Amino acid sequence: MAIVDIVKYPDPRLREVSKPIGDNREGLEELVRDMTDTMYAHNGAGLAAIQIGVPKAVYIVEAEAAGRNPTDPPLVFVDPEITWLSDDKQNGDEGCLSFPGIFVPVERSKACRTKATNLAGETFEVEGEGLFARAMQHELDHLKCKLLIDYVGRLKRRMIERRLAREAS
Ligand code: ZN
């Protein structure tokens, strides 16, 4: 078990585009294990690999947030892509382990479908709505280096940056 430090904003690593895994699956299980332990330790609903400093296209969503049994392992998404977004939107406060204590309203599609491969390398497609859809859209953003703070205006952005700087010092 390894709980790893979470990369926090404004660490420049969060602005790195994550690279596809493809057939290069060496170390993938260990990476997902570290991500799982770290997400659980911080009570997160999801985590992208870049949030522990690894720029690979992998994210996980906590089982209950993914509509599964709470005791199930997290759902693992390798090389994910969104294949469908509903026109219906949802508005809600969103948090991120890389922005501790910060919640900002983000409009997302209410439902979406994601295609990815699992740990065994099998392709799957899953549809989710509500929190699950929000989590899949949020985590995919990380892989494309888009962050929570990109959804707020300039004033609120500066407020958040000041608050994070204060807490980090
Ligand atoms: Zn996040």
Side-chain angles (χ1 to χ4, degrees), residues 45 61-75 77 126-136:
V61 175
E62 189 269 327
E64 201 170 4
R68 306 293 203 270
N69 197 310
T71 54
D72 282 356
L75 224 61
F77 295 79
V126 67
E127 191 175 318
E129 57 170 58
L131 175 62
F132 186 23
R134 179 175 291 282
M136 287 193 280

Side-chain angles (χ1 to χ4, degrees), residues 46-48 51 94-99 138-139 142 146-148:
L47 192 77
Q51 291 181 278
E94 206 167 295
C96 176
L97 292 179
S98 296
F99 292 81
H138 176 106
E139 299 310 332
H142 274 298
K146 184 162 185 178
L147 300 172
L148 208 55

Side-chain angles (χ1 to χ4, degrees), residues 39-56:
M39 180 183 73
Y40 285 158
H42 293 88
N43 295 313
L47 192 77
I50 190 63
Q51 291 181 278
I52 59 165
V54 180
K56 290 182 178 174

Side-chain angles (χ1 to χ4, degrees), residues 137-150:
Q137 291 167 73
H138 176 106
E139 299 310 332
L140 191 70
D141 273 358
H142 274 298
L143 306 188
K144 300 175 187 295
C145 69
K146 184 162 185 178
L147 300 172
L148 208 55
I149 201 158
D150 301 333

Side-chain angles (χ1 to χ4, degrees), residues 109-126:
S109 284
K110 204 172 190 172
C112 74
R113 208 175 293 140
T114 299
K115 193 175 162 186
T117 62
N118 62 17
L119 262 185
E122 302 152 341
T123 302
F124 69 96
E125 198 164 4
V126 67

